[in-house]
Amino acid sequence: MAGNPVAERDAMARARELAHRGPRGVNPQVGAVILSPDGRVLGEGWHRGAGTPHAEVDALSRLRPEEARGATAIVTLEPCNHTGRTGPCAEALLEAGVARVVYACDDPGDASSGGAARLQAAGVAVARLDEAEGEAVIADWLFVQRTGRPRVTVKWAQSLDGRAAAADGSSQWITGPQARAHVHRERSAHDAIAVGTGTVLADDPKLTARIDGDADAPQPMPVVFGTRAIPVDAAVRRHPRGHRTAGHDLERELFGLAADGVQSLYVEGGPTLASAFLAAGLADRLTIYLAPTLLGGPRTVLDDIGVRTIDEQRRLTVTRLEQLGPDLLVEATTEEVH
């Protein structure tokens, strides 16, 4: 069955928009659009969380049975082929009489993949479209499937001479308002935010995302690493998402966070925590704010990260440079692929 290229591409773009309506968590965000043979939109759907109908089934539920027969399903992820809390989407599409399925990226799961092959074996026309764009929608979820842990972003602000604070420990503020506003947008874009107990005791941070004009911005879940007690009146205890404590075994804690649906972690602690993630090879992305100021003194942005000789230096790939008011944003990825 030949498709309608223009209608299918428009529908795939719409499906990506719908996918973002679903919650981030253990399951991927997926959107679907059902098209008539002449390219009209018959129904839309998205996955609303674990245990709810998948996007394809949600979209099919908007149609009368006769509308689904001969229709085209556009979906951002390959229809699943296994029974979990819900049945296999490949079977639901077959039962509905859908004649063509267009999806963006393959399902990486050992148990859930194979939906495209199942559909083709039953005579349904199957095609791929916008793979890179589809993967971008669920990039963090795909990272969790490959590694078993969340994608980790380590952030710090520093003076040009590599200091995170003045000699007396004061650090508010090294950067200007534009850089600090960007930090809050980064917080909101991550599922969880990490600090060490030292930061909680010294700065009593709120760890919320405060974005002008967006009172409903998504909030990251605070994760406090360390063994020292958190004061009963600490601001983190009043966070709208509560907080979680974690020990010193970073990899084990990351696996636990992934099992609970955390796909991305924003590490915003001080030099001790940032250095621990780098030394352990668990920092995937760095977000660094360079302020045009000099502080001198001992408060460097990093402690020991395991580099003993110049041959062991940690090479980075810079992916973004941007001026934020007087400050410079540097985004980079680590050379090693985790």
Side-chain angles (χ1 to χ4, degrees):
M1 175 185 174
N4 183 324
V6 174
E8 290 180 359
R9 193 166 293 280
D10 289 345
M12 185 63 80
R14 175 58 177 166
R16 291 195 297 270
E17 293 177 3
L18 294 168
H20 286 296
R21 296 186 182 183
R24 289 166 60 93
V26 175
N27 292 339
Q29 295 170 296
V30 183
V33 176
I34 309 298
L35 297 178
S36 68
D38 61 359
R40 291 179 295 109
V41 174
L42 300 174
E44 300 179 339
W46 65 93
H47 184 48
R48 290 167 169 80
T52 66
H54 288 189
E56 304 94 314
V57 175
D58 186 43
L60 287 170
S61 72
R62 318 293 174 184
L63 279 63
R64 298 188 302 274
E66 62 271 19
E67 290 181 306
R69 289 191 288 274
T72 295
I74 309 293
V75 60
T76 57
L77 181 66
E78 177 188 10
C80 68
N81 193 41
H82 83 304
T83 299
R85 293 188 183 182
T86 60
C89 292
E91 290 297 331
L93 292 165
L94 290 174
E95 291 174 2
V98 168
R100 179 175 170 83
V101 173
V102 179
Y103 70 97
C105 53
D106 290 327
D107 189 321
D110 292 334
S112 55
S113 62
R118 172 74 184 89
L119 291 163
Q120 285 181 312
V124 174
V126 177
R128 294 277 295 280
L129 180 66
D130 294 349
E131 179 181 5
E133 292 88 342
E135 289 187 352
V137 173
I138 54 172
D140 289 335
W141 181 83
L142 289 170
F143 184 91
V144 173
Q145 307 316 299
R146 292 194 299 268
T147 66
R149 64 170 181 83
R151 188 191 304 272
V152 174
T153 298
V154 175
K155 165 263 178 183
W156 67 76
Q158 68 169 73
S159 63
L160 284 183
D161 56 346
R163 267 58 182 180
D168 65 354
S170 59
S171 61
Q172 296 182 343
W173 297 103
I174 291 176
T175 55
Q178 294 94 332
R180 298 199 298 273
H182 187 272
V183 169
H184 283 279
R185 293 194 295 273
E186 283 286 287
R187 288 180 177 183
S188 185
H190 287 76
D191 298 324
I193 180 171
V195 296
T197 51
T199 295
V200 171
L201 294 171
D203 299 335
D204 193 25
K206 296 179 181 178
L207 302 181
T208 52
R210 302 182 293 280
I211 300 175
D212 288 344
D214 189 2
D216 298 321
Q219 295 293 331
M221 177 184 70
V223 182
V224 182
F225 283 83
T227 56
R228 285 181 286 178
I230 300 172
V232 295
D233 60 346
V236 70
R237 292 187 180 276
R238 300 187 295 277
H239 194 282
R241 291 193 60 187
H243 73 282
R244 177 172 178 154
T245 58
H248 293 298
D249 187 334
L250 299 184
E251 192 165 38
R252 178 179 179 180
E253 297 292 350
L254 289 179
F255 289 151
L257 288 170
D260 289 338
V262 173
Q263 298 177 18
S264 59
L265 178 67
Y266 191 56
V267 177
E268 202 179 332
T272 300
L273 191 62
S275 300
F277 272 93
L278 283 163
L282 295 172
D284 306 296
R285 176 174 171 258
L286 301 180
T287 302
I288 304 163
Y289 301 89
L290 293 174
T293 188
L294 302 174
L295 294 175
R299 306 277 183 166
T300 56
V301 294
L302 292 177
D303 299 328
D304 183 9
I305 60 171
V307 174
R308 298 289 176 264
T309 72
I310 196 65
D311 292 337
E312 296 174 352
Q313 62 185 295
R314 303 291 182 88
R315 290 287 185 182
L316 306 174
T317 299
V318 174
T319 57
R320 181 182 179 188
L321 289 171
E322 182 178 346
Q323 192 85 28
L324 297 174
D327 306 311
L328 182 65
L329 167 66
V330 180
E331 291 183 356
T333 58
T334 53
E335 186 178 49
E336 185 177 359
V337 177
H338 305 297

